[in-house]
């Protein structure tokens, strides 16, 4: 293997970040170019947007299988296949000339994307000592955050001065770089145990997640009749409940829910679910408010909303010393309240609010939001045994996709109820209740973290709680 120019704690996350960068850049650039693609296809932008949710559905369907595949065939092999599949899907998207073709190509991308991040994260978790994990995860996410920063201006530039197809083809050199680096430097990690594939569990979770996410992302948008949405949601929920009951009797279920019995994993997943539901609604609500409510152009809106990604990048290297000083429990409780308040803050924006003030507040909000994600991502794996890491990455990836779709639906429902009560077109005031609701939900994520031990995740954070004074302890006992 070639000599390493960087230590593993930096090199491995940067290699995996190539995959995450492609995913994030692809999604943010695509949203900017959507109207142009729809016009080229002679289709409605709404129809095209619905068709492109096929990517998210492919993620939901195939993520549960990613951990088993990595254990069975090796993380390096699966990670390389995932990058190759995603890159080929990107090329196919660029060659598409109709909605069915681009939908099929996005499904291919989704299959690759479903394996890239869970398997890439697994490589890091099994290769990096726990005391270096927080800093290593920061190196993973900083390059990936460049996607949301570069997406709006890059998408606008390519769509305006070139052809929209290039927004997909720019993934090709990044994918080739990721393949080369993964081949040279990623360790060939395999699971010590190789259980049988849970085929029935895979089908239950695949259809259950796909139906539930389809229903939740369309809920409140008026895109399908309400009975259809209810039937889709209900069927998906029933399949997931059947899986949960069945998984309790399985030795090696495809999604291992027994991991929730580990206190740090259980609190992290529940807290993250609430926090992501709140934060997940923001990308839907904020551009809509700026463009529809305030009358801004997409470019003006994008130049404001990308500030939160800048704040997130600035935070990543501040996380390790903050966690060493205060520990996971104190940081996650206090920061959930602060970050939740910033999620709700756009409710106070008006068309008269200075752009510089909105941008500055979103930048600071992005700092605290990213601190929460970095902290909880590290805590999730603090007490997971190495032999169960692949199952842990699968579980957290599935929870992330679910919380994202639920967050969008909650924001849409809150907005729809407000507009319906007003009886007219969407106005800037209609967004106020929606932002308040999702902000409060994000604040509620502090509750699960309050039940953590004072030294939870100590091996990862490096925090050493100050021991109580012996005289005080004796006095209290007396």
């Amino acid at each position: 293997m070639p000599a390493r120019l960087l230590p593993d704690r930096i090199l491995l996350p940067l290699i995996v970040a190539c995959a995450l960068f492609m995913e994030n850049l692809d999604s943010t650039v695509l949203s900017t170019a959507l109207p142009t693609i729809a016009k080229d296809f002679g289709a409605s932008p709404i129809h095209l947007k619905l068709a492109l949710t096929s990517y998210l559905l492919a993620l939901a369907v195939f993520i549960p299988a990613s951990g088993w595949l990595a254990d069975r065939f090796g993380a390096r092999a699966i990670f390389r296949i995932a990058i190759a599949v995603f890159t080929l899907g990107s090329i196919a998207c660029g060659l598409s000339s109709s909605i069915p073709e681009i939908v099929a190509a996005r499904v291919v991308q989704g299959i690759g994307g479903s394996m890239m991040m869970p398997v890439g994260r697994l490589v890091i978790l099994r290769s990096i000592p726990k005391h270096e994990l927080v800093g290593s995860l920061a190196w993973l996410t900083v390059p990936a955050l460049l996607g949301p920063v570069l997406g709006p201006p890059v998408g606008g530039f390519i769509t305006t001065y070139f052809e929209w197809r290039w927004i997909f083809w720019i993934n090709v050199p990044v994918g080739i770089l990721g393949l080369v680096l993964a081949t040279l430097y990623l360790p060939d990690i395999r699971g010590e145990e190789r259980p049988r594939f849970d085929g029935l569990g895979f089908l239950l979770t695949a259809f259950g997640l796909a139906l539930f996410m389809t229903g939740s992302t369309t809920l409140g948008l008026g895109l399908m009749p309400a009975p259809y949405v209810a039937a889709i949601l209900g069927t998906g929920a029933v399949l997931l409940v059947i899986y949960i009951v069945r998984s309790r009797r399985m030795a090696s279920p495809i999604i291992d829910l027994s991991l929730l019995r580990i206190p740090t994993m259980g609190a992290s997943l529940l807290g993250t679910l609430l926090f992501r539901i709140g934060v997940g609604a923001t990308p839907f609500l904020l551009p809509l408010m700026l463009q529809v409510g305030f009358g801004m152009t997409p470019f003006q809106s994008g130049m404001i909303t990308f500030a939160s990604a800048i704040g997130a990048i600035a935070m990543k290297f501040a996380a390790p010393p903050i966690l060493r000083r205060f520990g996971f429990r104190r940081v996650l409780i206090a920061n959930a309240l602060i970050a939740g308040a910033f999620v709700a803050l756009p409710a106070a924006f008006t068309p008269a609010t200075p752009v510089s003030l909105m941008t500055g507040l979103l930048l600071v909000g992005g700092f605290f939001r990213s601190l929460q994600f970095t902290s909880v991502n590290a805590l999730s794996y603090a007490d997971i045994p190495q032999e169960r890491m692949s199952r842990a990455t699968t579980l957290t990836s599935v929870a992330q996709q679910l919380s994202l779709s639920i967050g969008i639906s909650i924001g849409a429902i809150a907005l729809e109820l407000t507009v319906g009560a007003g009886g007219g077109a969407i106005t800037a005031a209609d967004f106020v209740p929606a932002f308040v609701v999702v902000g409060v939900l994000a604040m509620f994520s502090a509750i699960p973290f309050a039940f953590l031990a004072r030294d939870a995740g100590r091996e990862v954070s490096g925090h050493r709680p100050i021991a109580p004074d012996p005289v005080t302890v004796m006095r209290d006992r007396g």
Side-chain angles (χ1 to χ4, degrees):
M1 186 173 289
R4 297 171 184 264
L5 300 177
L6 296 170
D8 281 351
R9 63 183 174 82
I10 298 176
L11 179 62
L12 297 184
L14 288 179
I15 294 173
V16 176
C18 288
L20 191 54
F21 175 80
M22 281 198 300
E23 282 192 272
N24 288 355
L25 182 66
D26 190 83
S27 60
T28 52
V29 168
L30 183 58
S31 62
T32 305
L34 206 60
T36 303
I37 300 175
K39 183 179 179 181
D40 196 19
F41 288 173
S44 164
I46 295 177
H47 293 159
L48 184 59
K49 190 169 185 177
L50 280 175
L52 294 181
T53 57
S54 56
Y55 176 80
L56 296 177
L57 295 180
L59 286 179
V61 168
F62 291 101
I63 279 176
S66 60
W68 183 87
L69 289 170
D71 282 343
R72 178 67 179 82
F73 299 104
R76 181 173 63 188
I78 297 301
F79 185 73
R80 289 187 298 181
I81 290 172
I83 291 181
V85 170
F86 187 90
T87 305
L88 290 174
S90 299
I91 295 172
C93 285
L95 295 174
S96 300
S97 57
S98 66
I99 288 182
E101 289 180 7
I102 200 169
V103 167
R106 288 288 283 172
V107 169
V108 174
Q109 277 190 311
I111 294 172
S114 69
M115 296 182 289
M116 282 197 302
M117 274 319 298
V119 175
R121 190 181 294 118
L122 176 62
V123 170
I124 295 171
L125 293 171
R126 283 183 170 169
S127 305
I128 306 300
K130 286 189 175 182
H131 68 276
E132 296 181 341
L133 193 56
V134 175
S136 187
L137 290 175
W139 281 105
L140 169 65
T141 50
V142 166
L145 286 170
L146 292 175
V149 174
L150 297 175
V154 169
F157 181 81
I158 290 176
T159 306
T160 302
Y161 297 105
F162 294 92
E163 191 179 11
W164 62 263
R165 300 176 188 279
W166 283 98
I167 68 174
F168 295 105
W169 292 336
I170 58 177
N171 284 330
V172 176
V174 181
I176 293 173
L177 176 63
L179 272 174
V180 172
L181 293 176
T183 301
L184 293 177
Y185 297 110
L186 280 194
D188 188 20
I189 296 173
R190 298 172 183 263
E192 295 180 4
E193 300 179 359
R194 298 184 183 181
R196 286 183 57 188
F197 183 68
D198 180 14
L200 180 56
F202 173 74
L203 292 176
L204 287 171
T205 57
F207 286 104
L209 289 169
L211 290 171
F212 188 85
M213 287 182 63
T214 299
S216 61
T217 51
T218 56
L219 194 64
L221 296 178
L223 300 171
M224 286 192 293
Y228 290 3
V229 176
I232 292 172
L233 265 175
T235 305
V238 168
L239 291 174
L240 291 177
V241 169
I242 293 173
Y243 172 78
I244 291 171
V245 173
R246 177 181 177 273
S247 68
R248 294 178 178 177
R249 303 193 300 267
M250 295 285 297
S252 301
I254 196 162
I255 299 178
D256 189 358
L257 298 176
S258 68
L259 290 167
L260 297 175
R261 298 171 190 159
I262 299 173
T264 47
M265 171 60 90
S268 297
L269 231 60
L270 180 56
T272 305
L273 182 67
L274 291 170
F275 190 74
R276 282 190 184 275
I277 286 174
V279 172
T282 303
F284 166 75
L285 290 173
L286 190 56
L288 198 61
M289 183 181 75
L290 295 176
Q291 294 178 39
V292 178
F294 294 180
M296 294 185 179
T297 66
F299 180 74
Q300 290 172 323
S301 169
M303 293 306 292
I304 294 174
T305 56
F306 91 104
S308 60
I310 297 292
I313 292 174
M315 186 289 311
K316 288 304 179 182
F317 297 105
I322 290 174
L323 289 171
R324 276 196 302 270
R325 175 66 179 84
F326 299 104
F328 279 111
R329 184 177 181 272
R330 292 169 66 185
V331 168
L332 288 170
I333 293 173
N335 196 62
L337 300 176
I338 296 171
F342 274 98
V343 170
L345 193 60
F349 293 171
T350 70
T353 304
V355 169
S356 58
L357 179 59
M358 287 191 285
T359 304
L361 291 173
L362 291 175
L363 188 147
V364 176
F367 179 95
F368 289 107
R369 184 183 65 192
S370 188
L371 175 59
Q372 196 75 358
F373 283 141
T374 299
S375 301
V376 80
N377 286 342
L379 179 64
S380 299
Y381 305 104
D383 299 321
I384 303 294
Q386 283 293 330
E387 64 272 12
R388 302 182 75 184
M389 278 295 186
S390 60
R391 300 183 186 182
T393 58
T394 298
L395 179 61
T396 54
S397 297
V398 169
Q400 179 177 337
Q401 293 302 316
L402 275 176
S403 59
L404 181 62
S405 64
I406 294 172
I408 293 173
S409 64
I410 287 177
I413 291 170
L415 181 60
E416 184 72 19
L417 290 175
T418 307
V419 174
I426 298 177
T427 65
D430 292 328
F431 291 88
V432 173
F435 277 111
V436 171
V437 167
V438 296
V440 170
L441 274 175
M443 290 182 184
F444 279 166
S445 68
I447 296 175
F449 300 128
F451 293 94
L452 289 169
R454 289 176 60 226
D455 61 347
R458 182 175 61 185
E459 185 180 356
V460 174
S461 67
H463 176 63
R464 293 292 183 271
I466 299 174
D469 180 62
V471 175
T472 304
V473 173
M474 293 300 294
R475 184 185 63 209
D476 292 342
R477 289 178 178 175

